[in-house]
Amino acid sequence: MDILIENFGPLLEALGTTLMMAVVAGIGSLILGVLVTVARVSPIPILRAAAFGYVQFFINVPLLALLILAVFALPDAGLILPLTPTAIIVLIVYEAAYVAEAVRSGVNTVGVGQIEASRAIGLSLGQSLRYVVIPQAMRAVVQPLGNVMIALAMNTALAAAVGVVELTSRVNKVNLVYAQPIEIFTGAGLVYMAIALAIGLGTGWVERKVAIVR
Amino acid sequence: MSVTSMRRKLPLAGAVLTAFALTLTACSSGSGSAAVPGESSDSGSGSETSAVFENAPVADDELILPGSTMEAIKERGTLVVAEALDAPLLSQQDPTNPDSVTGFDADLAKLLAIYILGEPNVEIVPPASETREALLANGTVDVVFNTYTITEERAEQVSFAGPYFSSGLAVAVKSDNDDIKGIDDLGGKTVIVGANTPAVTAVPEEQPTATLVDFATDPQAVQALIQGRGDAYVQDYTLLASNAAANDQLKVVGQPFTSEPYGIGLKHDDAEFKEFINTWLLKIQEGGQWGEAWKASLGTVVESDIPTPPAIGSVPGS
């Protein structure tokens, strides 16, 4: 415990980076994921195919492989970005695929009759998605989205492998000096657990507020 | 790779491998004076690679104390070693033949196995450098051969036999960089280091204004340097030398600025085993196997005679 207290400042700063990555990537992946879902249920075949390909690609490639590709292969292709934004962008596009799958399952809970009715009263496709389908779909998938967000928060730890100084990376450095992996990594594990619990509790609260009682 | 250009870049090899005088006579009062089968004083000066294991010393039965770690290993029939699989010249797995792991650390691990078991029966557990202490504490591995720098903090968690080798951190830059001549020129620069290497703490001590970027593996760090994510790469001299030998976009500049004594990690407070291994280290140093292992690995990229091994127990924590 002493070690964690002695290194409180640097660890807190690194925790800040972890939380910042989780929040920015969380919001980004929710927005991108919903857009992908919209493309997937749209009547335009090429959009549907593109969205399908996007989801399949990112669900089937490990995040670490994507991070290493983005950090080491893109510069060879002439695109070099700072490390933390690179990691956040990769997290957004990766988790968006999972968000899209969750939201799509929510879209399937919206009755076909409602969509037909919304078209019948003269709403355009965009309007019926915006006012009828997506709000109901999102309410139905609060819990699955919460799980995706928890996974995202845990996945930020992989950024340590490509040089981002977040919690895991900082904890590794502290351990390098003190050589007490069990104490140090247990401490870090508890912090990650607290983050996951906070997201889980928040998700439960939101779900109770917005749940559609059927 | 060009050997001649390597040699031009690395004239400092002798200085790196810090030499300490060995006081051999002082140690013969222990168990080391017993005649050892297969060991003869004039062996080990052969030049072929197999000389590493030729006439390798085997421990007398009386050295395998009842109830000791050595006895447990002998009964098991394999020595379980934490060593890297991706460190060229130190412990590198042949991708086409996974059973073949070669390098300085790997050869010493085999020599230790021969000493205990009579044959080079080694089971390798690849260590993440952040879990070496835990692997030793919970008994997953018997010993760690992993360029494991002896420090006093670490010595509170594990015991160190040795040091068996001494190296140091050095600076590498892109071949076309002529501004950086060594650690003194790194103030305010972006410096790439390997995560969990001594460079993480050593660079800020020397250059507090340098910004550190760390990568999980050495190949990633080299790639990052070449792609311009940092101005310099600070890593163990031996590793940089082998990188520079394999990649002419990279060069090593200046002298090593630290001294890193490598120890053999053991479970904490296993005094019998530590003494046993220190005795073995003296035997392979006298018998020439230490020098042959060096010549077959690090000696292939460094232009220097076989260095004098550091004196056992010469470092705080060992």
Side-chain angles (χ1 to χ4, degrees):
Chain A
M1 207 57 211
D2 293 348
I3 296 170
L4 300 180
I5 292 163
E6 275 169 41
N7 295 279
F8 191 70
L11 285 171
L12 198 66
E13 186 191 344
L15 175 61
T17 306
T18 289
L19 292 176
M20 184 273 286
M21 289 177 75
V23 169
V24 175
I27 294 169
S29 64
L30 283 174
I31 294 170
L32 183 60
V34 169
L35 292 178
V36 171
T37 306
V38 168
R40 255 196 117 169
V41 299
S42 72
I44 305 161
I46 194 150
L47 260 185
R48 283 208 304 271
F52 174 80
Y54 176 91
V55 169
Q56 291 307 317
F57 177 78
F58 284 107
I59 278 184
N60 290 304
V61 177
L63 177 58
L64 185 58
L66 291 174
L67 279 168
I68 289 175
L69 268 179
V71 171
F72 295 107
L74 287 184
D76 274 350
L79 181 68
I80 187 158
L81 275 175
L83 292 169
T84 309
T86 308
I88 292 175
I89 291 168
V90 172
L91 275 169
I92 288 175
V93 296
Y94 176 79
E95 298 293 346
Y98 289 87
V99 169
E101 283 298 80
V103 175
R104 190 171 66 96
S105 76
V107 168
N108 292 339
T109 68
V110 180
V112 179
Q114 292 202 25
I115 297 167
E116 287 170 350
S118 65
R119 301 307 297 272
I121 61 170
L123 296 182
S124 70
L125 174 72
Q127 284 171 327
S128 67
L129 280 172
R130 211 159 90 214
Y131 299 119
V132 180
V133 180
I134 294 296
Q136 295 193 68
M138 294 300 277
R139 285 163 168 236
V141 295
V142 171
Q143 196 59 58
L145 282 182
N147 291 344
V148 172
M149 291 302 118
I150 288 173
L152 185 151
M154 303 298 111
N155 282 340
T156 57
L158 284 177
V162 289
V164 179
V165 185
E166 42 65 78
L167 186 58
T168 300
S169 161
R170 180 71 70 184
V171 157
N172 274 339
K173 285 196 181 79
V174 172
N175 179 50
L176 185 74
V177 176
Y178 293 89
Q180 298 198 22
I182 293 174
E183 181 175 338
I184 292 170
F185 287 104
T186 305
L190 289 175
V191 171
Y192 278 108
M193 204 173 92
I195 295 173
L197 271 176
I199 298 174
L201 291 174
T203 310
W205 181 81
V206 171
E207 191 176 36
R208 279 195 302 282
K209 291 280 167 195
V210 304
I212 303 164
V213 183
R214 288 200 171 92
Chain B
M1 99 179 196
S2 145
V3 174
T4 44
S5 71
M6 262 301 298
R7 287 185 174 164
R8 207 175 55 240
K9 287 172 200 156
L10 307 168
L12 48 120
V16 179
L17 310 162
T18 322
F20 293 94
L22 261 182
T23 47
L24 299 176
T25 46
C27 300
S28 60
S29 57
S31 45
S33 60
V36 171
E39 189 193 50
S40 67
S41 57
D42 60 350
S43 72
S45 52
S47 55
E48 66 271 41
T49 324
S50 65
V52 175
F53 302 112
E54 234 170 53
N55 302 323
V58 178
D60 279 350
D61 282 345
E62 69 218 43
L63 287 180
I64 311 281
L65 304 170
S68 64
T69 313
M70 303 74 97
E71 193 189 50
I73 295 166
K74 196 162 189 177
E75 275 171 16
R76 191 196 308 134
T78 51
L79 177 70
V80 186
V81 183
E83 63 177 77
L85 296 175
D86 59 356
L89 303 178
L90 291 165
S91 187
Q92 168 80 59
Q93 188 173 44
D94 180 350
T96 59
N97 177 14
D99 291 336
S100 161
V101 180
T102 53
F104 187 67
D105 280 351
D107 283 354
L108 286 191
K110 282 179 206 157
L111 284 169
L112 179 60
I114 293 174
Y115 188 60
I116 301 174
L117 307 164
E119 49 190 337
N121 252 349
V122 173
E123 183 188 329
I124 295 172
V125 176
S129 46
E130 55 269 44
T131 57
R132 292 180 293 205
E133 293 83 19
L135 287 176
L136 282 169
N138 65 22
T140 308
V141 301
D142 300 316
V143 294
V144 174
F145 270 101
N146 188 227
T147 58
Y148 202 177
T149 304
I150 301 173
T151 68
E152 290 181 70
E153 285 91 349
R154 284 174 177 170
E156 287 168 18
Q157 309 297 317
V158 300
S159 290
F160 286 105
Y164 66 96
F165 190 70
S166 190
S167 184
L169 291 171
V171 180
V173 295
K174 280 174 83 168
S175 311
D176 55 10
N177 184 330
D178 293 324
D179 301 333
I180 296 173
K181 302 263 189 297
I183 183 70
D184 295 340
D185 299 329
L186 294 184
K189 296 281 199 298
T190 304
V191 179
I192 297 166
V193 297
N196 304 307
T197 64
V200 174
T201 45
V203 173
E205 276 167 25
E206 296 280 331
Q207 293 293 351
T209 55
T211 311
L212 291 200
V213 185
D214 56 346
F215 290 96
T217 66
D218 172 60
Q220 285 182 1
V222 170
Q223 182 78 358
L225 176 68
I226 290 167
Q227 289 176 342
R229 285 199 185 275
D231 302 304
Y233 174 30
V234 173
Q235 178 58 281
D236 188 82
Y237 176 80
T238 53
L239 208 47
L240 288 183
S242 75
N243 283 330
N247 189 335
D248 54 14
Q249 289 177 274
L250 187 80
K251 66 178 178 186
V252 184
V253 289
Q255 302 281 330
F257 60 94
T258 63
S259 172
E260 303 286 337
Y262 293 160
I264 302 163
L266 311 172
K267 195 169 189 162
H268 196 46
D269 279 342
D270 192 345
E272 282 174 347
F273 196 36
K274 179 172 167 177
E275 160 129 27
F276 178 84
I277 291 188
N278 280 336
T279 307
W280 161 76
L281 268 176
L282 275 182
K283 281 186 182 162
I284 59 165
Q285 287 169 5
E286 288 172 58
Q289 290 85 9
W290 188 96
E292 292 301 332
W294 183 87
K295 211 155 80 180
S297 52
L298 297 167
T300 58
V301 295
V302 175
E303 193 184 343
S304 156
D305 293 333
I306 293 173
T308 310
I312 288 158
S314 60
V315 178
S318 65

